[in-house]
Amino acid sequence: MKVELLPALTDNYMYLLIDEETKEAAIVDPVEPQKVVEAVKKHGVKLTTVLTTHHHWDHAGGNEKMVKLVSGLKVYGGDSRVGALNHKVTHYNTFKVGSLNVKCLFTPCHTSGHICYFVTKESSSEPPAVFTGDTLFIAGCGKFFEGTADEMYKALIEILGRLPPETRVYCGHEYTINNLKFARHVEPRNDAIKKKLAWAKDKYDKGEPTIPSTIAEEFTYNPFMRVREKSVQEHAGQSDPVTTMGFIRKEKDNFRVPKNCL
C-alpha cells in the first residue's frame, strides 16, 4: 500500500491511497479535485473510490466536482450530509480497494457521522494505516462540535486506541506544532512531548509534513490519548478520564501559547 500526501487549502491533507498490486486507488477527503486528478495521472492508477471522513466543507466540499471529473466513483461516508454520497457506511462495515481491506470505524463527536478508515493488506509485513479526519490529530483531537467527552473518549481510547500500535495515523490537518505546545502545557515534564515538538519544528522549517505518526506514539505525547494518566488528570484536577477529556478539550479551545514559550 502506498499513501501519497496531497496538501490542500491552508492546512488540510487529502490522501491518495494506492494498492500497488492492482493499481486501484482511493482518495480521502478530496477537497481540491483537480490536484487529485493530477496525482492519479502521475501515478498511473485507476481511481475508484472516495473515502469521506465527515461532512464539513473542507473535507467533503470537493465530492460533487470529483464525481464529475471521474465517472463511476464509489463515494463512502457515514453522514447523509456528505456530498455525492452513494455508499453510506457505519461501524465495522468493510469493503476493498483493489486488494486492500478497508474497515469503517464510527467515531462520532467532532460530527455525529464521522468515520475513520482502517486499511490493511493481507499477508503483508507493512503496517496498517488509519485515516482519522478530524477525530484524531497528531498530539490532538477535533473539537466536540456535535458530541461529548464520553464519545471522544470512546473514539480515541476504545476504538482507535485498540488498533495495532504500529498503525500509521493520517489525519485531516497539519496542526501538530500547536497541538504539541498545548500538550507541553498539560505535561511540562513529558520528554516525549519535548522531543516530538523539536522534531515537528524542524520538519516545518524544511517545509515537510509531520504526518504520519503511529497509535503507539500518540499514547506517549497526545494528552487526549493520555487522559487515563495521573499526570494529565492532575493537570485537569480530575480523577476520571472522561471528565479529564472534557476539561482539557475546553482548555484547548481557549489556549494561547504564552509569549515566552514559543
Side-chain angles (χ1 to χ4, degrees), residues 172-220:
H173 293 268
E174 183 59 71
Y175 290 164
T176 306
I177 289 175
N178 281 343
N179 285 345
L180 284 162
K181 285 176 179 176
F182 176 71
R184 179 181 61 188
H185 163 75
V186 174
E187 291 187 279
R189 287 184 288 282
N190 182 327
D191 282 339
I193 293 169
K194 292 174 193 168
K195 281 184 191 143
K196 188 72 175 179
L197 180 54
W199 173 87
K201 284 177 173 173
D202 184 54
K203 295 290 270 186
Y204 183 79
D205 289 344
K206 292 175 182 164
E208 294 173 6
T210 61
I211 319 294
S213 65
T214 67
I215 293 292
E217 281 178 31
E218 291 300 324
F219 275 119
T220 69

Side-chain angles (χ1 to χ4, degrees), residues 28-50:
V28 180
D29 291 347
V31 65
E32 290 193 40
Q34 199 52 52
K35 272 191 187 173
V36 175
V37 169
E38 286 158 19
V40 164
K41 271 197 193 124
K42 182 181 97 175
H43 289 285
V45 294
K46 179 175 170 51
L47 185 67
T48 63
T49 308
V50 172

